[in-house]
Amino acid sequence: LTESDNGELVQLTWTEGRALRWDPDELTTVGEFDYEGEGWGITTLDDSFYAMSNGSSELSFRSPEDFSEVGTMEVARKGGPVEGLNELEWDGEHLWANRYLSDEILRIDLDCGVVDGVVDASDLVVLARTAIDDAGLERDVENRDVLNGIAWLGADQSDSGGRYYLTGKRWPLLFEVDFLER
């Protein structure tokens, strides 16, 4: 889910090839876009275009007018392409992506598609799994109890400009964190 520059919310469907457009005040659909393939993550960039993931190592870039694909980029790091790109978040300077079934959040340089930073969220994953157990919820660590949510809170939320919410599928917790350079 992302907010477009005109204030609509755009929500991907995972396997139906549809991006639903929502009025945020009424919480009603106002239209939809069609696309090929799977929709895993989406964010709105500063130029109003969307960056979208499909679970592979490739990002697609889409027009805000009709959602047509205007470009693609393969994301790589030392060792080759990065598979499993999932949830995306743009903070005005960096594109962040979590990798499905991993504890990593990657910072991607949009000029070249290279991963230039990694957040290790393994401590949060441990806390979330403990909370799942403590709440008596059914666990599915192999497929579902995974890191899967990034939301930037805005530049005015911390001195570093890097305050985010992080969560995961079926997690009963939401974490508020800063991404700090080391």
Side-chain angles (χ1 to χ4, degrees):
L1 181 73
T2 190
E3 183 178 5
S4 69
D5 281 355
N6 70 7
E8 289 181 347
L9 302 177
V10 178
Q11 176 188 17
L12 297 179
T13 58
W14 174 36
T15 59
E16 294 179 15
R18 296 183 311 141
L20 304 175
R21 297 171 40 226
W22 293 87
D23 176 308
D25 297 320
E26 300 296 322
L27 292 181
T28 56
T29 56
V30 294
E32 63 182 58
F33 296 120
D34 294 323
Y35 59 89
E36 295 285 324
E38 294 185 355
W40 284 41
I42 187 169
T43 192
T44 305
L45 304 173
D46 286 343
D47 60 4
S48 301
F49 283 77
Y50 302 107
M52 182 175 150
S53 65
N54 63 9
S56 71
S57 61
E58 187 175 271
L59 297 175
S60 64
F61 300 95
R62 297 186 173 273
S63 164
E65 283 82 32
D66 61 8
F67 215 64
S68 61
E69 187 175 281
V70 296
T72 61
M73 171 184 287
E74 182 167 49
V75 176
R77 69 200 277 185
K78 186 176 180 181
V82 178
E83 294 293 328
L85 296 176
N86 192 10
E87 171 65 7
L88 301 175
E89 185 69 10
W90 174 250
D91 67 10
E93 186 176 350
H94 300 105
L95 179 65
W96 298 94
N98 85 283
R99 289 185 55 229
Y100 187 60
L101 297 178
S102 86
D103 301 339
E104 292 183 327
I105 300 170
L106 308 177
R107 186 177 67 199
I108 301 166
D109 183 332
L110 282 182
D111 289 331
C112 60
V114 171
V115 173
D116 64 2
V118 178
V119 174
D120 176 0
S122 58
D123 288 344
L124 301 182
V125 173
V126 170
L127 292 170
R129 290 180 178 162
T130 299
I132 291 167
D133 288 341
D134 290 348
L137 302 172
E138 182 181 337
R139 287 184 59 191
D140 182 1
V141 176
E142 296 300 316
N143 298 301
R144 295 178 58 199
D145 298 339
V146 296
L147 180 68
N148 193 51
I150 311 166
W152 181 53
L153 300 179
D156 59 341
Q157 296 300 311
S158 76
D159 293 337
S160 68
R163 203 96 179 126
Y164 300 81
Y165 284 141
L166 298 181
T167 193
K169 289 181 186 248
R170 299 174 6 135
W171 286 14
L173 299 172
L174 177 71
F175 297 96
E176 187 173 331
V177 301
D178 278 324
F179 292 165
L180 302 174
E181 292 283 335
R182 285 187 168 203

